[in-house]
Amino acid sequence: MHLHRFIPSCAHSSLLTITYTMTMSELLPQHLGLLPYFLLFVHHQLPHLPSSSRPNNMYLTTTCRNSSLASIHSVVCYLAPAATALTQFQGPLAPPPHSLTARVYGVKNIYTALIRTYAAYHITNSQLYTLAMFTYLGALGLYATDVFYYKTTKVREATSTFVLTTSAIVWMVL
């Protein structure tokens, strides 16, 4: 972190401007290990959209599909049609996509992203660490019940979530 002082060229001006500059590395968590970066960047893995179900808004869909940030999926849940935001729920008993469901799912992703981001920067805080781990347990529980009990999503759409959440839980417990 550097503080720079800039004195204006006007001799009659007595204003002193202080500018704060940061490097990109200073924005990242300042802790050892890879777990803070995992918490920061791998919030949620979104499923692959089958080519037959891709809507007309390809830019938004591609951004959503290739991203691993819950915050981006939250934006998609609010801006894209419900069918785009809820593509992971295509199981045999899945209800028709509804915009309210997409927005609720988006809010869930916002909370998840905020908790995990805050835990990434405060990885030594045991309460935040536990809360972040519970977000992974919650996501695992959500998808497990959606696949095996409610049958609103298919195993194929939930596989990446199962792998990431299980990996995160094991990593955080060890």
Side-chain angles (χ1 to χ4, degrees):
M1 293 187 236
H2 308 285
L3 285 178
H4 298 285
R5 293 177 186 215
F6 173 72
I7 300 174
S9 60
C10 300
H12 63 278
S13 175
S14 62
L15 293 176
L16 179 66
T17 304
I18 298 176
T19 335
Y20 182 75
T21 59
M22 293 182 79
T23 63
M24 285 301 288
S25 64
E26 291 174 321
L27 295 174
L28 296 174
Q30 301 297 312
H31 299 282
L32 296 176
L34 297 175
L35 184 59
Y37 301 107
F38 180 83
L39 291 173
L40 189 62
F41 295 113
V42 186
H43 295 305
H44 183 77
Q45 181 68 40
L46 298 172
H48 175 72
L49 284 176
S51 58
S52 61
S53 67
R54 289 185 186 157
N56 294 333
N57 193 343
M58 287 305 295
Y59 175 75
L60 193 55
T61 303
T62 305
T63 302
C64 169
R65 180 172 45 98
N66 293 335
S67 172
S68 60
L69 295 175
S71 51
I72 290 177
H73 188 242
S74 297
V75 171
V76 171
C77 286
Y78 277 90
L79 298 179
T84 303
L86 300 173
T87 56
Q88 61 271 37
F89 300 105
Q90 297 179 358
L93 300 177
H98 192 275
S99 59
L100 177 62
T101 308
R103 290 191 302 274
V104 168
Y105 195 65
V107 168
K108 182 258 293 181
N109 282 337
I110 289 170
Y111 286 126
T112 299
L114 288 173
I115 290 168
R116 292 177 188 170
T117 300
Y118 206 75
Y121 283 97
H122 303 281
I123 199 81
T124 57
N125 183 319
S126 63
Q127 291 88 1
L128 277 174
Y129 192 86
T130 304
L131 189 59
M133 190 168 51
F134 279 127
T135 66
Y136 286 108
L137 285 168
L140 182 62
L142 171 76
Y143 276 90
T145 56
D146 280 336
V147 169
F148 302 113
Y149 182 73
Y150 296 113
K151 302 194 185 322
T152 55
T153 191
K154 299 175 187 172
V155 174
R156 180 174 172 235
E157 278 87 17
T159 301
S160 61
T161 301
F162 287 151
V163 169
L164 283 174
T165 56
T166 304
S167 300
I169 293 165
V170 168
W171 191 357
M172 293 178 83
V173 168
L174 297 177

